[in-house]
Amino acid sequence: MYLFTLCLNEVFSMCEVIDKVFSQKVLNMLNMHDLKGLDISFKTFPSESHSNILSLTDNFVKLKFRKELVENNLKKYFDDYRKFLFSSEGDFYVFTADNLRKIGLSLYPYFSFGILNGGSATSYFDLLKNSDFNNDLYFLYANKILEAKEFFGHLPKGITPAYVNADGSYGFSFLELKIRHLLLLSRQYYELYGENIKPSIFQMTSVKTYKLISDFLDGIFDNNLIKSLNYCDFCKSDILTAIQPLVYCYKELSDGHYEYFDYVNNGKKVFLALPAGHGQNFKILRDIYMQLYNSGKKFVYIGNIDNVGFTVNLKTLAIMAITNDSAGFEFSVKTPLDTKGGILILDDDNNLNCVDIGSVISRETVLQFEYKGGKIFFNCATGLFNLEYLIKNIDRIISDMPMRVIEQTKEFGKYTSIEQITWEVIKMVDNPLIFEVNREDRFLPAKLFINTLIMSNYMSDKFSDAFFDIAKYLNIGLNNVLQNKYNLDFKKGKWNV
């Protein structure tokens, strides 16, 4: 069930804390060995010359689209669309990066920004996972990780600090930064067109995170970070929210069967339940997608709250309007940092798909291809959807979204959880566009708190040579994003308004 800024009692009368029906369905499927994922084949890695891959990696972008296509699509949004036809070559209009940004900003009223905000900080501050990342770095950062866990470990990840300042103080939260970024775009639109447009923001939370996020939003609109840009009176009630129910986790018995996972907490046996992945957003946010479409929105972005680089890419918004394609997804050329996550492939039918390294494709296959000089595209975890297409196909997407079995080991034991991955939708949509972007601009994730400390270049004077260059690369990206996308100033060793 779904909700729109309701009081907490109303929320839980509408939304089950545990999705018991789905939990039981999965348990039955596990015990019948009938839980199947998406049937994926692998043919090769697509090259940069693939017709669906558009490079947006620098300011010298020059994209050509057929005149008839451009005119037919832009007239849907602008009566005076010809002012955006900057130059042409034969039967094509030509667009530079600056041209695309101007069109993208003009499309701001037709756009909504979606935040996948259901994750708790369970793994983020988990001591075992942080130490497994790198023992030497964990030893260096142990006190800071323990301190942060004490301060923020009980919170949803989205309202924990997105970075750490050089003096060890904590920065603004992921959610605050996202709201500030959208308010900046509202101001830019007002300065250009003289019309105050409130940001359109929606989010998927979970029953574990909703109340804490709601309380957090009660207090941030008086903070100067938000207040200094809030010319349009944007407020908490403008954010559309849906709650994702939890799904029980499972443990495998000695005979190969499964039952619900339980553990002892404060002397009491409890069952562990978690959100079943952001791929459930299509089901959980279905009513919000419908509401946005009925209100006149034409495009929706979705992305993870913990990626500081996830902001509005005006160039991709413009391309989606020009082409009228189903959806677009950002990928960057894979770097040595990208050892886990999704990569772009072509299957046996020459369809694009996104698969995790180590699942369909072995790490050895990936390394061999890179060793020969091949480029692999790595998923930056953002999706921009043509909302009309999404509405027409959403029930099919919900039905066909595969389930993954995830084995986890945490401080309280080993368990199995079920997860649905958003980006497997790439296989399900027609003719998806792939936007090649710079990783350091668009993909700055913080899966573990140790990642945040490295990206913040915290205590970098004590790094070994192996991590010094990596931290510097990530920190340059972080600093550029904080300055250029969130309009923060670096003063006296801290990022501030």
Side-chain angles (χ1 to χ4, degrees), residues 296-309:
K297 299 301 180 185
K298 303 298 183 183
F299 306 97
V300 290
Y301 239 139
I302 55 172
N304 297 333
I305 187 67
D306 60 6
N307 176 12
V308 183

Side-chain angles (χ1 to χ4, degrees), residues 3-127:
L3 58 141
F4 307 98
T5 58
L6 301 172
C7 74
L8 194 63
N9 289 336
E10 291 176 301
V11 166
F12 291 118
S13 68
M14 295 181 67
C15 178
E16 286 187 71
V17 173
I18 306 292
D19 189 339
K20 294 181 180 178
V21 173
F22 184 72
S23 296
Q24 184 64 51
K25 175 184 175 182
V26 172
L27 181 61
N28 293 341
M29 294 174 75
L30 284 169
N31 284 326
M32 294 173 65
H33 306 288
D34 195 32
L35 195 59
K36 297 178 181 178
L38 191 64
D39 185 20
I40 301 172
S41 60
F42 168 63
K43 181 178 181 180
T44 187
F45 298 105
S47 71
E48 290 179 297
S49 62
H50 190 285
S51 60
N52 286 53
I53 298 177
L54 303 177
S55 178
L56 303 174
T57 54
D58 57 45
N59 280 321
F60 300 103
V61 171
K62 185 179 179 181
L63 297 179
K64 299 179 182 180
F65 301 99
R66 289 197 171 275
K67 288 183 175 180
E68 183 179 6
L69 175 76
V70 174
E71 292 175 7
N72 286 341
N73 287 327
L74 286 188
K75 68 173 59 172
K76 299 174 186 176
Y77 310 102
F78 313 113
D79 292 333
D80 55 348
Y81 70 92
R82 291 192 177 277
K83 71 180 182 181
F84 296 114
L85 308 179
F86 301 99
S87 64
S88 63
E89 294 180 7
D91 294 332
F92 296 85
Y93 289 117
V94 181
F95 298 91
T96 65
D98 188 53
N99 298 155
L100 293 171
R101 278 190 287 265
K102 288 178 180 177
I103 296 172
L105 183 59
S106 300
L107 289 163
Y108 186 64
Y110 295 100
F111 163 80
S112 191
F113 189 81
I115 303 167
L116 302 177
N117 201 12
S120 62
T122 309
S123 294
Y124 193 46
F125 295 111
D126 185 89
L127 302 183

Side-chain angles (χ1 to χ4, degrees), residues 257-409:
H257 283 78
Y258 288 82
E259 65 181 19
Y260 293 140
F261 176 86
D262 61 74
Y263 66 103
V264 176
N265 184 25
N266 294 325
K268 182 180 178 181
K269 186 172 84 168
V270 295
F271 291 99
L272 179 65
L274 297 171
H278 286 156
Q280 287 202 317
N281 86 84
F282 300 104
K283 177 172 72 172
I284 306 304
L285 292 169
R286 184 182 185 277
D287 288 354
I288 287 181
Y289 290 139
M290 295 288 185
Q291 180 180 351
L292 290 170
Y293 181 71
N294 290 333
S295 72
K297 299 301 180 185
K298 303 298 183 183
F299 306 97
V300 290
Y301 239 139
I302 55 172
N304 297 333
I305 187 67
D306 60 6
N307 176 12
V308 183
F310 172 46
T311 57
V312 179
N313 189 334
L314 295 174
K315 292 179 287 187
T316 63
L317 182 57
I319 293 168
M320 287 292 293
I322 288 169
T323 62
N324 198 41
D325 275 310
S326 63
F329 305 89
E330 292 184 340
F331 282 73
S332 60
V333 174
K334 182 181 170 296
T335 72
L337 295 172
D338 305 318
T339 58
K340 296 180 180 179
I343 54 177
L344 193 66
I345 67 164
L346 282 171
D347 65 17
D348 289 341
D349 297 320
N350 288 319
N351 293 318
L352 293 167
N353 202 354
C354 181
V355 300
D356 277 356
I357 299 170
S359 58
V360 175
I361 300 176
S362 69
R363 299 183 191 280
E364 291 73 23
T365 301
V366 171
L367 290 172
Q368 286 174 10
F369 187 80
E370 290 179 311
Y371 181 76
K372 294 176 182 177
K375 287 184 178 180
I376 293 175
F377 290 101
F378 190 82
N379 182 22
C380 292
T382 68
L384 180 56
F385 291 84
N386 178 316
L387 189 52
E388 182 177 15
Y389 177 90
L390 182 60
I391 293 300
K392 288 180 178 178
N393 291 275
I394 196 163
D395 290 330
R396 174 180 60 83
I397 290 170
I398 292 168
S399 174
D400 293 348
M401 184 63 66
M403 289 183 280
R404 295 189 185 188
V405 177
I406 309 294
E407 304 291 342
Q408 298 269 24
T409 301

